[in-house]
Amino acid sequence: HKVGDPITKDKLALGKDSPRIAQWELKTADDGKTIIARMEIGDGDQWDQYLLPAGGAWKQIAAKDDGVKEMKVGDGGALYLLSSKDAPKRKILKSTLAAPSLEKAETILPEGDGVIDAFVPTKTRIYLAEGMGGPSRIRSVTFANGKIASAATLATPAISAVDAIVPLGGDDVAFSSESFT
């Protein structure tokens, strides 16, 4: 929609063939140029994922059966995908904004002992909020030459729930940790 124009001039960008029960989310990536759209089909935790790069056209990156739960844009034109395909505890895949492709995405963080609930890519690492069968933890994973260089669990109360990781710039993040105390 262009501000000031009547809605009759609007053009449909996505959703023409959406199921009757669908929930759409639109997010501007942290690069300020890319838009990510995802559509949940019903309430079955299945998502179609779309990407609109700066000056480009909408492209579907993943369909509901591909198991991609979320996409995020990182530094250097990286596109990160949280996937449950063949990984019930989820894994992180990496592609590029220049040529986004689920088929060519590489697994940079395989499924581990915790369920990845949320993730935030920063300048040189990825922060993970992981469920550990009740309590949760937050981990920081660094990479070198496309491989995991180190992983560290950040200090939180012994029995707590980690939520809402927010990037602050560089490698800094803020997160909430809730416990009985």
Side-chain angles (χ1 to χ4, degrees):
H1 177 78
K2 184 178 177 185
V3 177
D5 283 355
I7 59 173
T8 55
K9 284 185 143 185
D10 289 353
K11 294 179 184 172
L12 185 64
L14 288 173
K16 180 180 181 204
D17 297 319
S18 295
R20 198 171 135 240
I21 300 174
Q23 298 177 63
W24 282 90
E25 287 182 12
L26 287 173
K27 294 181 183 179
T28 303
D30 289 337
D31 68 359
K33 303 173 189 173
T34 308
I35 299 174
I36 295 171
R38 68 183 196 156
M39 177 191 63
E40 184 177 19
I41 293 116
D43 60 1
D45 198 32
Q46 292 181 311
W47 302 85
D48 284 351
Q49 305 278 346
Y50 301 87
L51 187 70
L52 178 63
W58 283 106
K59 179 178 181 180
Q60 185 169 3
I61 305 300
K64 67 178 183 174
D65 295 330
D66 292 326
V68 174
K69 306 295 181 194
E70 192 168 3
M71 298 191 312
K72 294 192 177 182
V73 174
D75 276 5
L79 178 65
Y80 296 95
L81 304 97
L82 177 62
S83 174
S84 63
K85 182 84 167 192
D86 302 322
K89 293 183 179 180
R90 302 179 185 149
K91 59 188 174 185
I92 304 285
L93 310 174
K94 183 179 179 183
S95 185
T96 66
L97 282 178
S101 168
L102 182 59
E103 293 76 28
K104 294 179 183 176
E106 64 175 307
T107 300
I108 61 163
L109 195 64
E111 178 180 36
D113 61 341
V115 177
I116 302 172
D117 294 320
F119 75 103
V120 171
T122 64
K123 187 172 179 111
T124 65
R125 60 192 69 189
I126 294 178
Y127 287 91
L128 306 165
E130 297 173 304
M132 302 301 296
S136 56
R137 69 178 179 199
I138 187 162
R139 286 195 308 146
S140 168
V141 180
T142 59
F143 297 89
N145 301 320
K147 304 288 181 205
I148 296 173
S150 68
T153 301
L154 280 63
T156 57
I159 300 174
S160 63
V162 173
D163 193 16
I165 307 171
V166 179
L168 299 176
D171 280 326
D172 294 333
V173 297
F175 65 91
S176 67
S177 178
E178 188 177 328
S179 72
F180 291 109
T181 57

